[in-house]
Amino acid sequence: METRETKPVILLFTFPLQGHLNPMFQLADIFFNRGFSIIVIHTEFNSPNSSKFPHFTFVSIPDGLSEPESCLDVIEFIHVLNSKCVAPFGDCLKKLLSQEPTAACVIVDAHWYFTDGLTEKFGIPRIVLRTVNLSAFVAFSKFHVLREKGYLALQESKADSPVPELPYLRMKDLPWFQTEEPRSGDKLQRGTMKSLKSSSGIIFNAIQDLEPDQLDQSLKEFPVPFFCIGPFHRYISASSTSLLTQDMTCLSWLDKQEPNSVIYVSLGSIVSIDESEFLEIAWGLRNSNQPFLWVVRPGSVHGKELTEILPKGFMEGLQGRGKIVKWAPQPEILAHRATGGFLTHCGWNSTLEAICEAIPLICKPSFGDQRVNARYISDVWKIGLHLENKIERLEIENAVRTLMTSSEGEEIRKRILLMKETAEQCLKLPGSSFRNLEKLIAYILSF
Ligand code: UDP
């Protein structure tokens, strides 16, 4: 039997949002496969399913989140959790470090901006996982300048003007937050920047060959090592960390469709839209005549249930050409031979998952890094189309047809295939992600 070389313990502190749990668990599996023992520290809210990861030790901390607090806008939610977890995380860390005095380091999600003081107090190195790509990271790191210059209070007349400090981006692409209180976004950025700059290093689920200039620019501003080791999910086939139940009937439905024929539609785990936007997307998909698989998360259409919104007979009229589910096994869908396009909100996990399967994109970003990603997808990497205007059915219909059936769509498909190949090369010797992971492991072992 092969014996596993045992390296020290790594503690990971997960942030309880889907787009943060997924990459953190993938990272944990990467380290486990390289011989480290893993202790996952998590909140009670959105706690991960430990039975799917029997090889990890799980430690839950009481977050004290009330029911109304769990429904706050994302930025307020992050602040509330940061203030409520100071004492429980401190107690937990103290206890774990007395049991595991040789633990190598703590890896925290960048949203846990309060942790810098605590890890310093206990004398344990803290590495931060930043779940955005480098282009969005650069945009976020300039947040204070953008605010000072007044760019973040977007004026309609300047929406398409270029941002002098950020090549490629227009004013409307800046990482704007969906929050009732705009200053909350500033507070989050200040906290995150301070915590990143005082960390022992930053890990990115990104590929430096795709964003070399942004890496150089960031390294000039940040006095800590960077480790771009993405795409995480390609190292191993990790278990799912889905918080919602995945509807597996999607896969048997896809089995019945023609190769590259289905447009997959999902706006991720946080974005919500209003009823009129929902209906425009529905009619646009239907009028495109292309088969579609659409994830409509419960609560993702403001104030209404799906059955209340769709006109009577809408689904029947499709004669099996469309399927709507509450949550899907997204990686399997993107890998399915029938999937030919992805209408996405451009969250970085979804974007990277699509790149790794060479699935061309239609971008419908909402807030934060999604807008930066959408601009890169459409104008820099040219691997997708961008829905820039108010959502209208004709725009959706045209975008789907262009992506799935035109020569322009074919060119986009060829470019994303090249990007997929770059991503694959990066993971193999002498690729950048491969080398960066080796450096990261050596770095952690040197603590
Ligand atoms: N996802 C999923 N099933 C769905 C929709 C999304 O498993 O029906 C996963 C998707 O694969 C991705 C994550 O949820 O890993 C969403 O992360 P992303 O960064 O794209 O967006 P966020 O939800 O953070 O806005």
Side-chain angles (χ1 to χ4, degrees), residues 18-19 22 242 246 264 266-271 295 326-331 345 347-351 353 370:
Q18 188 70 73
N22 291 3
S242 219
Q246 298 172 325
Y264 169 58
S266 167
L267 303 180
S269 64
I270 302 174
V271 168
V295 176
K326 292 184 174 151
W327 194 247
Q330 181 164 300
H345 70 307
W348 181 239
N349 292 295
S350 294
T351 305
E353 288 161 15
Q370 299 160 19

Side-chain angles (χ1 to χ4, degrees), residues 332-406:
E332 286 91 331
I333 287 171
L334 292 171
H336 198 286
R337 59 160 185 78
T339 307
F342 182 10
L343 196 165
T344 172
H345 70 307
C346 306
W348 181 239
N349 292 295
S350 294
T351 305
L352 196 54
E353 288 161 15
I355 290 172
C356 290
E357 299 298 344
I359 301 293
L361 303 160
I362 298 176
C363 307
K364 193 219 164 294
S366 283
F367 56 85
D369 65 325
Q370 299 160 19
R371 296 163 168 227
V372 179
N373 297 341
R375 183 62 58 204
Y376 271 76
I377 289 167
S378 63
D379 292 17
V380 183
W381 300 324
K382 299 185 170 41
I383 55 168
L385 304 169
H386 197 164
L387 300 172
E388 303 211 28
N389 306 318
K390 191 168 172 284
I391 293 299
E392 277 170 5
R393 61 191 71 186
L394 190 58
E395 225 196 320
I396 302 273
E397 179 189 333
N398 287 340
V400 173
R401 282 187 207 270
T402 305
L403 195 75
M404 306 293 278
T405 60
S406 76

Side-chain angles (χ1 to χ4, degrees), residues 149-392:
K149 298 215 165 176
Y151 299 164
L152 295 172
L154 182 64
Q155 293 165 26
E156 225 26 70
S157 59
K158 296 205 174 140
D160 282 305
S161 308
V163 180
E165 291 75 6
L166 293 165
Y168 310 119
L169 297 191
R170 304 182 194 176
M171 294 291 175
K172 65 182 177 188
D173 304 328
L174 291 175
W176 163 93
F177 292 109
Q178 197 169 43
T179 175
E180 301 285 318
E181 176 40 81
R183 295 283 152 190
S184 270
D186 297 17
K187 181 178 159 197
L188 177 60
Q189 281 319 301
R190 271 197 308 277
T192 310
M193 282 302 135
K194 179 171 165 288
S195 151
L196 287 166
K197 287 191 170 168
S198 62
S199 72
S200 298
I202 311 174
I203 303 175
F204 289 89
N205 186 11
I207 302 163
Q208 70 183 51
D209 301 42
L210 299 181
E211 304 172 287
D213 299 345
Q214 291 79 358
L215 178 63
D216 288 348
Q217 205 179 333
S218 306
L219 285 172
K220 278 186 206 136
E221 274 190 48
F222 281 79
V224 300
F226 275 38
F227 302 95
C228 296
I229 62 165
F232 293 176
H233 69 290
R234 287 308 234 207
Y235 286 84
I236 21 118
S237 53
S239 301
S240 163
T241 30
S242 219
L243 292 166
L244 297 171
T245 307
Q246 298 172 325
D247 186 333
M248 302 310 270
T249 64
C250 297
L251 299 174
S252 47
W253 182 83
L254 281 174
D255 287 343
K256 294 190 206 108
Q257 313 302 323
E258 295 295 318
N260 280 335
S261 67
V262 174
I263 177 97
Y264 169 58
V265 185
S266 167
L267 303 180
S269 64
I270 302 174
V271 168
S272 47
I273 54 177
D274 60 33
E275 188 182 339
S276 65
E277 280 185 304
F278 174 85
L279 280 173
E280 291 305 307
I281 296 175
W283 284 109
L285 291 172
R286 181 170 154 153
N287 296 345
S288 76
N289 281 328
Q290 208 67 33
F292 65 86
L293 173 59
W294 187 3
V295 176
V296 184
R297 222 179 56 244
S300 63
V301 185
H302 297 300
K304 286 216 169 166
E305 286 305 315
L306 186 60
T307 43
E308 299 173 285
I309 311 171
L310 275 181
K312 215 163 169 267
F314 181 89
M315 290 309 288
E316 294 74 12
L318 289 165
Q319 297 176 323
R321 224 173 9 83
K323 184 171 174 72
I324 299 184
V325 295
K326 292 184 174 151
W327 194 247
Q330 181 164 300
E332 286 91 331
I333 287 171
L334 292 171
H336 198 286
R337 59 160 185 78
T339 307
F342 182 10
L343 196 165
T344 172
H345 70 307
C346 306
W348 181 239
N349 292 295
S350 294
T351 305
L352 196 54
E353 288 161 15
I355 290 172
C356 290
E357 299 298 344
I359 301 293
L361 303 160
I362 298 176
C363 307
K364 193 219 164 294
S366 283
F367 56 85
D369 65 325
Q370 299 160 19
R371 296 163 168 227
V372 179
N373 297 341
R375 183 62 58 204
Y376 271 76
I377 289 167
S378 63
D379 292 17
V380 183
W381 300 324
K382 299 185 170 41
I383 55 168
L385 304 169
H386 197 164
L387 300 172
E388 303 211 28
N389 306 318
K390 191 168 172 284
I391 293 299
E392 277 170 5

